């Protein structure tokens, strides 16, 4: 059964009655922005005492216990017949081994979720609610201290798929309480931390205190910056689009193109090909966060912004120099102020496509476009004619 902490049962209730503070941890993009704010001061000399632990769950889909998932579904209040159907789908699959090209019988699994099953991510997220509830309880325990700027929101954990991030003030008692909650979660769900990929980050803490924590927790100490996977930037994507379109002057992509990329990204009515400008589309996507803040959306990111940055100040009049991403958001907000009425902007549901048109649609119409893009012309000839014009 779902286990207890200090005789206080970690109970589950249907989502319809879930506290709002629990349902805030579901926007992974929002979590990334809040995480950047939490770690950007790590490593500075004037940083307050802080400690962060990044936990990688070992073989998360393969080791989660079926009984744990069933109790979670019961705790959520799903109908019994629905739970039986779900558990039947989880328990009935059989597996076989292939030796020298021949199948060697079938056997049943005892735990885990199948990779590639459409239900698996949803069931895994429901299981992670138990993790969130445990650490929510820990935040209310005497002796636990939150990291700087996190006490008002009682924020001490974040979830990124199978990676978990927990943080506190950096004192020994708080870290031991977090470790106790992690042990409870592992013993109940079957999900164990990967010791090779789990790391602890300390900042502003006395060295003897750090040594004491490492000896008691068996965590591996690491330092910033985090190791990052190489990502494609908007500049990379734009370059790939130019080469794919044949816009480059030479085979290796060097030299001037036949038509400027900015013209290619114009709408067809303005003389372009209607390709989306990736950099401008990214700005329009960032405007979604501006809308979230202006409409006071009920999510962790917006609460964090109002608690840390705005502090009862008006969003549309706010202008300050803080973290990198925050400066970018303020810049997008200022662009929107010049393009639209802020009152009507907040009342309408924001869509990135509408934001793209709003911010980057000041283009005149070309008279010859209707002749080039006539539906009776062969596409190849359309392109050649457009290129000539």
């Amino acid at each position: 059964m779902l286990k207890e902490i200090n005789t206080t049962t970690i109970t589950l209730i249907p989502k319809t009655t879930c506290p709002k503070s629990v349902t805030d941890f579901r926007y992974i993009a929002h979590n990334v922005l809040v995480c950047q704010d939490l770690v950007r001061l790590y490593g500075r000399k004037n940083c307050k005492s802080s400690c962060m632990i990044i936990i990688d769950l070992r073989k998360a889909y393969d080791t989660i216990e079926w009984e744990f998932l069933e109790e979670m579904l019961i705790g959520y209040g799903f109908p019994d017949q629905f739970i039986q159907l779900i558990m039947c789908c989880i328990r009935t699959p059989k597996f076989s081994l292939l030796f020298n090209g021949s199948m060697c019988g079938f056997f049943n699994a005892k735990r885990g979720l199948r990779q590639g099953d459409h239900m698996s991510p949803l069931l895994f997220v429901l299981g992670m609610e138990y993790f969130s509830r445990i650490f929510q309880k820990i935040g209310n325990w005497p002796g636990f201290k939150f990291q700087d700027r996190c006490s008002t929101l009682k924020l001490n954990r974040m979830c990124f798929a199978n990676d978990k991030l927990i943080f506190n003030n950096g004192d020994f008692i708080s870290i031991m309480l977090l470790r106790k909650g992690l042990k409870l979660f592992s013993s109940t769900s079957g999900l164990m931390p990967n010791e090779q990929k789990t790391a602890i980050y300390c900042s502003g803490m006395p060295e003897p205190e750090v040594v004491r924590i490492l000896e008691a927790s068996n965590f591996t100490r690491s330092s910033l910056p985090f190791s990052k996977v190489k990502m494609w930037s908007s500049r990379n994507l734009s370059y790939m689009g130019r080469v794919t379109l044949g816009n480059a002057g030479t085979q290796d992509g060097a030299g001037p193109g036949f038509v400027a990329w900015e013209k290619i990204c114009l709408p067809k009515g303005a003389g372009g090909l209607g390709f989306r400008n990736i950099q401008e589309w990214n700005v329009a996507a960032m405007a979604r966060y501006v809308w979230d803040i202006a409409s006071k959306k009920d999510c962790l990111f917006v609460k964090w912004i109002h608690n840390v940055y705005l502090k009862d100040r008006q969003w549309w009049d706010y202008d300050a120099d803080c973290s990198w991403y925050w400066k970018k958001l303020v810049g997008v907000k200022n662009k929107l102020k010049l393009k639209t009425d802020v009152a009507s902007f907040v009342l309408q549901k924001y869509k990135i496509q509408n934001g793209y048109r709003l911010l980057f649609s000041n283009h005149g119409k070309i008279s010859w476009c209707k002749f080039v893009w006539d539906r009776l012309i062969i596409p190849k000839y359309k392109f050649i004619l457009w290129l000539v014009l």
Side-chain angles (χ1 to χ4, degrees), residues 239-247:
Y239 173 77
M240 290 175 62
R242 294 169 185 169
V243 175
T244 303
L245 186 63
N247 190 46

Side-chain angles (χ1 to χ4, degrees), residues 56 58 82 87 91 95 143 154 171 180 184 187 272 293:
D56 179 84
R58 182 174 56 217
F82 176 80
M87 297 310 299
R91 291 190 171 110
F95 303 90
K154 296 187 179 298
D171 61 289
K180 183 177 181 180
L184 171 69
S187 62
I293 298 171

Side-chain angles (χ1 to χ4, degrees), residues 84-302:
Q84 292 175 5
L85 290 173
I86 294 296
M87 297 310 299
C88 181
C89 294
I90 294 176
R91 291 190 171 110
T92 52
K94 296 184 178 181
F95 303 90
S96 180
L97 299 177
L98 189 66
F99 285 107
N100 297 326
S102 60
M103 306 289 288
C104 299
F106 291 89
F107 59 91
N108 294 318
K110 297 296 183 182
R111 60 179 181 176
L113 296 171
R114 288 182 294 174
Q115 298 281 353
D117 192 322
H118 296 299
M119 290 195 307
S120 297
L122 300 176
L123 292 171
F124 185 79
V125 169
L126 293 179
M128 290 305 100
E129 181 65 26
Y130 186 59
F131 176 90
S132 183
R133 298 294 178 91
I134 290 176
F135 285 90
Q136 185 181 27
K137 291 281 188 180
I138 293 174
N140 297 325
W141 285 357
F144 181 83
K145 296 180 181 179
F146 289 94
Q147 186 171 315
D148 182 40
R149 303 186 297 177
C150 296
S151 57
T152 303
L153 297 176
K154 296 187 179 298
L155 181 62
N156 62 357
R157 80 281 186 195
M158 286 186 178
C159 298
F160 300 88
N162 65 324
D163 293 323
K164 313 300 170 188
L165 189 151
I166 55 179
F167 35 86
N168 59 26
N169 185 57
D171 61 289
F172 181 80
I173 295 177
S174 297
I175 293 178
M176 290 300 103
L177 291 176
L178 292 177
R179 190 167 183 268
K180 183 177 181 180
L182 181 60
K183 282 187 175 181
L184 171 69
F185 173 74
S186 297
S187 62
T188 307
S189 65
L191 299 171
M192 305 296 294
N194 188 333
E195 297 180 357
Q196 296 179 349
K197 296 183 179 180
T198 299
I200 185 170
Y201 298 82
C202 303
S203 181
M205 298 171 55
E207 194 62 29
E209 185 79 353
V210 176
V211 174
R212 182 187 178 197
I213 291 171
L214 294 176
E215 291 177 350
S217 64
N218 292 326
F219 291 136
T220 302
R221 186 178 184 182
S222 189
S223 59
L224 296 177
F226 302 117
S227 58
K228 298 179 180 179
V229 179
K230 184 178 180 181
M231 302 294 290
W232 287 106
S233 66
S234 58
R235 187 179 302 274
N236 297 132
L237 293 172
S238 297
Y239 173 77
M240 290 175 62
R242 294 169 185 169
V243 175
T244 303
L245 186 63
N247 190 46
T250 57
Q251 293 183 353
D252 59 0
F258 297 119
V259 180
W261 181 247
E262 290 72 19
K263 287 191 175 182
I264 292 176
C265 292
L266 292 176
K268 289 184 176 180
L273 290 180
F275 281 52
R276 285 174 179 167
N277 188 308
I278 301 299
Q279 294 177 341
E280 293 179 352
W281 184 264
N282 184 58
V283 174
M286 291 173 62
R288 170 60 188 268
Y289 299 117
V290 176
W291 183 86
D292 288 342
I293 298 171
S295 59
K296 296 183 179 180
K297 187 175 181 179
D298 187 15
C299 64
L300 171 65
F301 169 69
V302 175

